[in-house]
Amino acid sequence: MSLLRNVCIGLLVALMFTGCAVDKRPDSYKPAINISPSIAAHASLLSKDQALQHALERRNLVISRTGEVLPLNQNVCQSALYYQISDRPLPSYIGQHQDLLSGFVLKVIYSDEQWKVVNPERELMPLNDFYEDFSATFSAQDQLIFQPSANTTNAQLKRLMQVVSQVFEQHANSFIVSASQAASVKTAGFQAITTKANSQQRFIRSSSHGVTQIQVNDSFGDSETLAIIFESDPLTACMKTNTNLVSEPVNDELKPPLKIDQQLLVATLPKDADFNQLAEQEALFSEGVYLNIWGDKKPYGDNNKLIADRCIKPESHLLAECSSRVGDGNTKTVNGRAILRRVNNEK
């Protein structure tokens, strides 16, 4: 019996070791989660823009492939963004705008018994033709806001909504109308935006600083901005609405730099600076001022003032000191151990 038992135990141990030696892992592995780049779709991925892009991201901004400085996304604007289409060419970021825009605003007019898009630089374009030209630009999630002319009759508005239902059926559509026409827009299944403030309705308003906004009154009667409509520059429109869009300067105090470049300016310019005028900002620095979004030249604050290297163009009394500093940039600091011995001088 003992021999049989020993044989069984031996076989069991052999099987255990054999099982442990088998590699049951699959030949390849798939990641548990999909990792995608965090940079915005409208941001430049060009290698020449990488250093500037990194500096801008720290201020809630990005640069596009064509050099436009834009908000990092519409969340930093604290409002949805809508681009009012007026003429071609469209901005370069249109088509890669999913992180920046919620949609588009179209001004339309009833002419020759059909609805057409208002375009100051070209002939009026029928809505059907417009969609054929621009459909590749729009994405399914884009919301479209139609703004008919102020003298639109109820019958004409009904016709407009019918055309929009047929041509733009895949989009969420809204209409900017008078308060008296809002009910018919809602009945047709669309979102109504009125041209005057209404306690129960979204309304459109041009603010004192020239930015068109879509607002709504809260339960306390205060106006809340839901969206910003812009025609050319989304960054300026956002900055005028949300003064905290651009984060605080990264640099609080700087030693005299050898070179004032755009990355250094981006890190140090005040929150209200015009970041789309970096070349101008670089030129203005020698005067100790910067250009803000209102077009005014203002002095740098004490907490973010760049201190220029006075040896770049030294005055006569600094020539000797600057000459002695020529090799400062080549000075090396070597870390190492040193042994100190105490010498007893007593006799």
Side-chain angles (χ1 to χ4, degrees), residues 269-286:
L269 282 168
K271 294 169 58 175
D272 64 340
D274 188 343
F275 285 85
N276 271 304
Q277 301 289 337
L278 291 181
E280 178 72 10
Q281 304 287 18
E282 194 169 345
L284 289 174
F285 168 69
S286 61

Side-chain angles (χ1 to χ4, degrees), residues 115-333:
W115 279 101
K116 300 178 181 179
V117 176
V118 176
N119 193 325
E121 303 299 329
R122 301 175 55 184
E123 295 182 359
L124 299 178
M125 181 183 295
L127 280 174
N128 290 339
D129 297 341
F130 171 84
Y131 190 71
E132 289 181 4
D133 281 7
F134 286 86
S135 58
T137 299
F138 298 149
S139 59
Q141 68 267 25
D142 285 333
Q143 300 179 27
L144 304 181
I145 301 176
F146 295 86
Q147 185 173 8
S149 51
N151 59 348
T152 299
T153 66
N154 293 336
Q156 292 170 346
L157 177 61
K158 182 178 180 180
R159 174 58 183 158
L160 173 61
M161 291 188 291
Q162 290 173 346
V163 175
V164 169
S165 297
Q166 297 168 0
V167 179
F168 303 91
E169 59 180 350
Q170 65 174 334
H171 299 280
N173 301 305
S174 302
F175 293 85
I176 299 175
V177 294
S178 64
S180 61
Q181 294 175 323
S184 61
V185 171
K186 288 183 177 180
T187 302
F190 298 108
Q191 173 74 52
I193 303 170
T194 60
T195 52
K196 291 185 179 180
N198 187 304
S199 59
Q200 302 176 351
Q201 192 71 50
R202 297 183 179 193
F203 58 92
I204 190 171
R205 170 180 290 170
S206 181
S207 65
S208 58
H209 44 260
V211 177
T212 302
Q213 302 173 16
I214 297 175
Q215 298 183 335
V216 66
N217 290 330
D218 59 23
S219 56
F220 298 98
D222 297 324
S223 297
E224 175 188 359
T225 298
L226 301 178
I228 298 170
I229 300 173
F230 68 95
E231 294 185 40
S232 57
D233 184 0
L235 178 57
T236 300
C238 283
M239 290 177 67
K240 288 181 177 181
T241 304
N242 175 21
T243 56
N244 292 317
L245 182 152
V246 179
S247 59
E248 294 290 344
V250 177
N251 293 325
D252 293 330
E253 183 177 352
L254 293 176
K255 295 180 180 179
L258 295 178
K259 179 182 179 182
I260 304 297
D261 58 16
Q262 292 189 343
Q263 289 90 296
L264 189 58
L265 283 170
V266 165
T268 314
L269 282 168
K271 294 169 58 175
D272 64 340
D274 188 343
F275 285 85
N276 271 304
Q277 301 289 337
L278 291 181
E280 178 72 10
Q281 304 287 18
E282 194 169 345
L284 289 174
F285 168 69
S286 61
E287 304 174 21
V289 297
Y290 70 96
L291 190 68
N292 69 5
I293 56 174
W294 309 99
D296 301 322
K297 294 180 181 179
K298 298 183 64 178
Y300 282 88
D302 293 335
N303 64 330
N304 64 339
K305 183 179 295 184
L306 291 171
I307 305 172
D309 189 344
R310 294 185 298 169
C311 285
I312 294 177
K313 295 180 179 180
E315 299 176 13
S316 57
H317 66 282
L318 294 174
L319 286 174
E321 179 183 350
C322 291
S323 297
S324 66
R325 288 180 45 198
V326 170
D328 286 0
N330 298 322
T331 302
K332 295 183 179 180
T333 302

